[in-house]
Amino acid sequence: MTGLPDPGARDIRGSAEFERVAQFYRRWHAPAFGAVSGAMSPAASPDGLAIAFAGEVRTDLEGRPRFRLCLAERSGIRQLTGPHPEVDERNPQYCPDGRTIAFTSDRETPGVQQLALADAASGQVQDAPAVDGTVEYLRWSPDGARILLGVAGLGADLAGGEGSGSVVRGGRDGLPAWVPEVDSGVSGEHWRSIWIYDVAGRSVERLPLGGLNVWESVWCGPDAVLAVTSPSPGEGAWYTADLRRIELTGASAELVHEPDRQLGWPAASPSGRRRAVVEACSSDRWVVAGDVVVIDAQRGTAAKISTADVDVTHLQWLDESRLAFLGMRGLETVAGTYDARSGETTETWSSAATCGDRYPVASFLPDGSAAMVHSSYSVFPELAWLREGKVETVASLRHEGSDHLGEVAGRVEPVRWTAPDGTEIEGLLCKPAGPGPFPLVVNVHGGPVWAWRNHWTLGGAYVRLFVSRGYAVLHPNPRGSSGRGQEFAEAVFGDPGGADTHDYLSGIDALVARGVADPQRIGVTGASYGGYLSAWLITQDRRFAAAAPIAPVTDWYSQHYTANIPFFDELLLADRPQGTAGRYRERSPVTFADRVRTPTLLIAGAEDRCTPPGQATEFHRAVLMAGVPSVCVIYPGEGHGIRSFPAIVDQGARLLDWFGRYLPAS
């Protein structure tokens, strides 16, 4: 049963399917309008009694969510700053004495985050001098006298996992509509820098970095910072970034570690003697999961440490010798500590549930306890403490809408199967009540180096929508995924669409054999690398009744010359684009589009710099030329993935209609 009279219509707001999907999201979100319904960036108060966080507050289903500075205490949740419907507040961090919370706010200029400070008791806010750019993160110095600010120029790129596009979205500075967009390569607005705010003097100063772009940074003792840097601000330059210790005077930028993979999550002990960083084979900035390298400046040593087989996604020194970490091991989220004096690693917590957003993160205190946003497919996000291996809920964000969603969105279960070469593959299966077989949608994750976790939203805003309509949704973690070590993650490099193709197909075979999936009703979707695989799979196998690639790569040649991360496709393909043969041709879905017999819905964002919308258009035209139904939908104002209402509603309606036409649930 289909829901749209014409899947190629531009405006579908009057359709029954659009209204039905809109009602689904209203039932989900409306009961919490005006209240805190989501959370990110938890920060532990030094006394262990409160958790500051950025609380999601919606008042309608328009645009992207905005966040408020909030506190979770035993008495409940308190919005610390006053109601400002148009203001977005993020990145809370407690001063070491616990009296002040530094955070960022765009109250002066929409979309441009600047430093602000709030009294932790009263919520009274004090603004700081503005910096030239937008503040992406902040860190208090160990003595609380200064605040490190990571600042991006207003023309800098967002990472793919953040939605791509520029760091500040919106209008064109009041310019007439005819004024062109101009690209001349790197400009001053693309750089990321470090600024230091002096609390007593209420002044801010930019560090002289001598042509270094700083992707991430933390304090490294009282007079230096530890930073992931590159000599260029282009998003592709991140893939070859190194680790440096930069003196506050700017007189020195000492090379600390030069990796052969990508770097993330730098951390330093209070004195700066010991440093640590995660080194991993990675697809996107801020999506780094892998090995931990510990550097001892006094001894002049650098070594990878044992992390109990965990791909680490978060690091924090508890004191001069103990390093806390958090990450993934298979489908588990795991926390632990490493003692640099004894060399011992201790696992402190593991769970099928998880914390954080893209990857597990938390905020640790010196005693090893941690503040987190804890959730699973059956547990709505809650502010919680991790203490002595147990999760203690401080305040749940549950509401009537989330309870309704839990009733209609089925359940999740881990699944495992064996690929043709004997490799065990695992994933998460969301399915409705009942015995099956169900129509199955395979949801391929992005990256490819990332992984599905047992998270409240799991595979995105539309997964629960699918399950509520009778679809089972498989979330595979094939080779290339995080949580299985670097060898497993690197197995896809040089071979995208190779062995991992059979990881997906064998998973479908396993669910068909188990009576879960109907072999005549198999669909595939996914975003980013998942969009690439969705397009690729239908050129390799004809079992799919429908496909919906989102933000895909379909032609590696044109991707290389139009995306903002050309270094990555060379890394992934282990090849160069020059010439007419090789993997740039052999692994491009568009090369084999004449084989496609699967009706294909392609979705992209007009502002996506990571996988530009032309990739979707190119494959769409090729599929039409093959005589197969195809629709291409490009959303204005959206980047890498659709993240704003009502575009989310529109996308959900189109997806359900497309799959309903070719693999109906009833």
Side-chain angles (χ1 to χ4, degrees):
M1 182 176 183
T2 59
L4 301 182
D6 178 5
R10 183 179 182 188
D11 186 355
I12 63 170
R13 288 175 296 173
S15 69
E17 187 63 273
F18 186 93
E19 179 51 38
R20 192 176 176 189
V21 173
Q23 179 61 19
F24 175 87
Y25 286 111
R26 280 195 293 268
R27 284 291 303 271
W28 178 349
H29 293 289
F33 281 171
V36 179
S37 59
M40 67 178 187
S41 305
S45 66
D47 60 9
L49 298 178
I51 302 171
F53 66 98
E56 177 183 330
V57 179
R58 291 185 181 273
T59 56
D60 53 35
L61 290 183
E62 293 287 336
R64 302 184 182 212
R66 293 185 177 273
F67 292 84
R68 302 285 181 271
L69 178 60
C70 300
L71 287 183
E73 304 163 303
R74 287 297 177 188
S75 58
I77 289 176
R78 177 161 55 107
Q79 295 188 41
L80 194 61
T81 50
H84 305 288
E86 301 304 317
V87 172
D88 195 30
E89 299 170 338
R90 299 173 181 251
N91 305 307
Q93 292 284 317
Y94 272 97
C95 178
D97 67 11
R99 297 178 180 175
T100 304
I101 301 172
F103 65 104
T104 65
S105 172
D106 71 348
R107 68 182 63 199
E108 293 299 323
T109 303
V112 179
Q113 296 285 318
Q114 296 288 343
L115 175 65
L117 298 101
D119 183 278
S122 68
Q124 184 175 354
V125 174
Q126 171 187 307
D127 291 325
V131 299
D132 186 12
T134 184
V135 181
E136 293 187 302
Y137 60 88
L138 57 89
R139 307 279 188 268
W140 285 91
S141 62
D143 62 4
R146 289 167 293 184
I147 303 173
L148 179 159
L149 305 175
V151 178
L154 300 185
D157 285 339
L158 286 169
E162 297 175 297
S164 190
S166 61
V167 295
V168 176
R169 297 182 181 275
R172 291 162 48 89
D173 302 320
L175 295 175
W178 62 264
V179 175
E181 298 287 348
V182 177
D183 181 359
S184 60
V186 171
S187 73
E189 286 195 338
H190 290 88
W191 290 83
R192 284 177 162 86
S193 56
I194 299 172
W195 297 62
I196 303 296
Y197 175 72
D198 181 271
V199 176
R202 297 181 63 180
S203 61
V204 66
E205 184 176 359
R206 180 174 181 164
L207 289 191
L209 296 176
L212 284 179
N213 187 75
V214 177
W215 303 103
E216 295 178 70
S217 58
V218 295
W219 287 96
C220 189
D223 300 311
V225 297
L226 185 68
V228 176
T229 73
S230 67
S232 167
E235 192 67 22
W238 173 80
Y239 293 93
T240 55
D242 55 27
L243 187 68
R244 293 178 181 267
R245 178 184 177 274
I246 302 172
E247 295 182 354
L248 293 192
T249 61
S252 163
E254 171 196 1
L255 180 63
V256 172
H257 182 60
E258 190 170 15
D260 55 8
R261 295 175 178 145
Q262 288 71 56
L263 296 178
W265 322 120
S269 65
S271 72
R273 171 190 165 180
R274 291 190 172 98
R275 302 93 184 251
V277 70
V278 176
E279 182 175 339
C281 180
S282 306
S283 308
D284 299 274
R285 187 165 56 88
W286 296 119
V287 188
V288 180
D291 300 329
V292 176
V293 178
V294 172
I295 300 123
D296 190 313
Q298 193 173 74
R299 296 180 179 177
T301 59
K304 291 181 182 178
I305 64 170
S306 169
T307 56
D309 296 323
V310 173
D311 280 353
V312 172
T313 62
H314 179 81
L315 289 175
Q316 188 175 334
W317 287 93
L318 304 180
D319 52 34
E320 281 300 313
S321 61
R322 293 181 302 140
L323 177 67
F325 64 85
L326 195 64
M328 296 178 298
R329 183 176 58 212
L331 297 175
E332 291 184 311
T333 295
V334 182
T337 58
Y338 167 76
D339 191 312
R341 289 176 299 189
S342 67
E344 294 182 357
T345 297
T346 303
E347 183 177 317
T348 58
W349 175 66
S350 64
S351 176
T354 192
C355 59
D357 187 11
R358 289 189 294 270
Y359 271 152
V361 297
S363 173
F364 287 87
L365 292 176
D367 65 0
S369 60
M372 62 170 58
V373 181
H374 177 256
S375 78
S376 72
Y377 195 75
S378 59
V379 175
F380 196 70
E382 58 187 16
L383 282 300
W385 288 102
L386 176 61
R387 290 188 170 122
E388 297 181 350
K390 296 181 180 179
V391 174
E392 302 174 5
T393 302
V394 176
S396 172
L397 302 179
R398 277 182 60 187
H399 53 83
E400 181 184 330
S402 64
D403 289 345
H404 168 72
L405 212 59
E407 295 170 0
V408 302
R411 59 188 179 88
V412 68
E413 62 184 51
V415 290
R416 292 176 176 82
W417 62 93
T418 303
D421 65 356
T423 302
E424 183 182 70
I425 306 299
E426 57 189 10
L428 293 165
L429 176 67
C430 300
K431 64 179 184 179
F438 304 102
L440 177 72
V441 175
V442 180
N443 193 10
V444 183
H445 70 63
V449 187
W450 192 49
W452 298 123
R453 296 177 291 133
N454 186 4
H455 187 275
W456 169 252
T457 58
L458 217 165
Y462 51 80
V463 172
R464 291 176 180 270
L465 177 63
F466 278 18
V467 178
S468 74
R469 295 289 191 90
Y471 291 92
V473 185
L474 174 64
H475 299 84
N477 283 339
R479 65 198 77 200
S481 299
S482 305
R484 301 274 296 271
Q486 291 304 290
E487 183 177 352
F488 189 81
E490 289 179 338
V492 74
F493 283 75
D495 191 35
D500 61 334
T501 293
H502 303 288
D503 296 344
Y504 301 104
L505 298 180
S506 59
I508 296 169
D509 291 339
L511 293 186
V512 169
R514 296 169 194 175
V516 174
D518 179 347
Q520 303 304 313
R521 294 184 293 166
I522 305 294
V524 62
T525 189
S528 192
Y529 187 81
Y532 162 68
L533 249 298
S534 301
W536 175 257
L537 285 171
I538 62 175
T539 70
Q540 306 299 303
D541 194 290
R542 293 187 176 178
R543 75 181 68 193
F544 297 98
I550 301 170
V553 173
T554 65
D555 182 348
W556 288 111
Y557 279 109
S558 55
Q559 166 73 10
H560 182 83
Y561 292 109
T562 58
N564 65 348
I565 49 172
F567 181 85
F568 175 68
D569 52 73
E570 293 186 13
L571 180 69
L572 178 65
L573 294 168
D575 202 355
R576 301 293 300 277
Q578 290 76 19
T580 58
R583 294 188 187 93
Y584 273 81
R585 175 175 173 79
E586 296 166 358
R587 299 302 169 91
S588 289
V590 74
T591 301
F592 308 103
D594 61 335
R595 300 178 182 175
V596 173
R597 298 296 178 268
T598 302
T600 305
L601 170 68
L602 291 122
I603 296 173
E607 295 187 15
D608 192 345
R609 299 178 182 178
C610 186
T611 57
Q615 293 292 308
T617 302
E618 193 170 340
F619 195 67
H620 162 64
R621 300 278 171 80
V623 172
L624 287 177
M625 289 179 185
V628 178
S630 180
V631 172
C632 186
V633 182
I634 309 294
Y635 289 94
E638 296 290 341
H640 197 56
I642 310 308
R643 299 166 187 252
S644 303
F645 283 105
I648 289 173
V649 174
D650 188 277
Q651 175 183 245
R654 292 180 189 275
L655 286 168
L656 280 175
D657 173 75
W658 196 256
F659 287 119
R661 288 174 185 270
Y662 300 106
L663 52 139
S666 59

